[in-house]
Structures are given as C-alpha cells and as structure tokens.
Amino acid sequence: MAAKTVTIESKDYVFNTLKEAQNYYDAIVKELYNAKLTLTTGQDFEDLKWIYSTYCHYTKQNLDKLSNSDITGFKGISTVREKGGQYIPTECCAIIFSDSSSNCTEEEFFTDKALKEIAIKQNPR
C-alpha cells in the first residue's frame, strides 16, 4: 500500500506521508497546550484554519458554523478520547469562533483525524 501524501494548500506544501503531517501539526498543538497560548495569526494559524475548513467541506460537517462565524484562534486543550475501548487523556485543538455579535465559542478539533480525511480525499484509490 502506497503512503498517502498530504498537500497543505494554505502554504503550498506537500508532506510525503500522512504520519509526517500528523506529527508536524500534533507538535504545534502540544506546544500551544504546554505554553497555554492562543494562536491568532501567522502561517500555523492559516494552516490550521485551512485544515479545519477543508475537513468540514469534505465531511459536510459544521458548514453552518463556518458560514456564520469567523475562526479567530486555536489553542491547545486537554480532553479524553476513546481508543480501543479505553479512555485516554490527550491534547487537541480548541477552535475559537467569533460571530457577528462578538460572541465567542470554542469547539474541539483533532488535527490527526482531519488530516487523515484530507489525505483520503486527496489520494483516492
């Protein structure tokens, strides 16, 4: 089975494998979590925004949220994820949305799951 590449169009970059892309963005999320930072500008912000938007369009999920709100930031959070019947603490992104009335909401976002979906769509069999 051939490795799936992942093209991040926001910076016109191709990762040679899905795992390489997942590790790269996982490190960004962990850094945000450990430093308790919120990412609001820059290339990493644009990349995460592109990944989330592309994932939503591919899966037809949260399209109403994308059209009615602006993504204003990303931060690292701790959550519990089910894997193989076990619940494991893990870090993930929280996307910060702002709507026209300046209300802010947050939503969990797993970059590894989104990148996997993007790789599947970019590399159909």
Side-chain angles (χ1 to χ4, degrees), residues 26-122:
D26 185 51
I28 292 170
V29 171
K30 286 188 186 307
E31 183 178 339
L32 291 173
Y33 176 76
N34 290 334
K36 297 182 180 6
L37 293 174
T38 300
L39 188 62
T40 58
T41 60
Q43 188 62 55
D44 291 338
F45 172 79
E46 294 301 324
D47 292 352
L48 290 171
K49 190 173 171 178
W50 181 86
I51 291 167
Y52 180 76
S53 299
T54 302
Y55 171 74
C56 289
H57 283 96
Y58 284 163
T59 61
K60 309 286 189 246
Q61 295 177 351
N62 296 335
L63 293 176
D64 58 329
K65 188 146 199 122
L66 277 177
S67 62
N68 297 322
S69 303
D70 290 325
I71 296 173
T72 58
F74 294 90
K75 66 181 184 179
I77 61 169
S78 181
T79 189
V80 176
R81 193 172 192 185
E82 189 272 329
K83 187 172 186 177
Q86 294 184 340
Y87 293 92
I88 301 168
T90 188
E91 290 87 30
C92 73
C93 263
I95 302 173
I96 304 166
F97 294 97
S98 178
D99 64 21
S100 58
S101 62
S102 298
N103 291 327
C104 289
T105 59
E106 294 182 10
E107 184 175 307
E108 283 183 1
F109 171 54
F110 293 94
T111 55
D112 58 339
K113 181 179 175 183
L115 288 165
K116 183 177 181 181
E117 185 68 31
I118 291 168
I120 289 168
K121 296 288 190 202
Q122 289 180 348

Side-chain angles (χ1 to χ4, degrees), residues 14-31:
V14 178
F15 288 94
N16 292 321
T17 66
L18 169 60
K19 197 65 170 166
E20 187 181 318
Q22 288 173 325
N23 288 341
Y24 181 85
Y25 290 102
D26 185 51
I28 292 170
V29 171
K30 286 188 186 307
E31 183 178 339

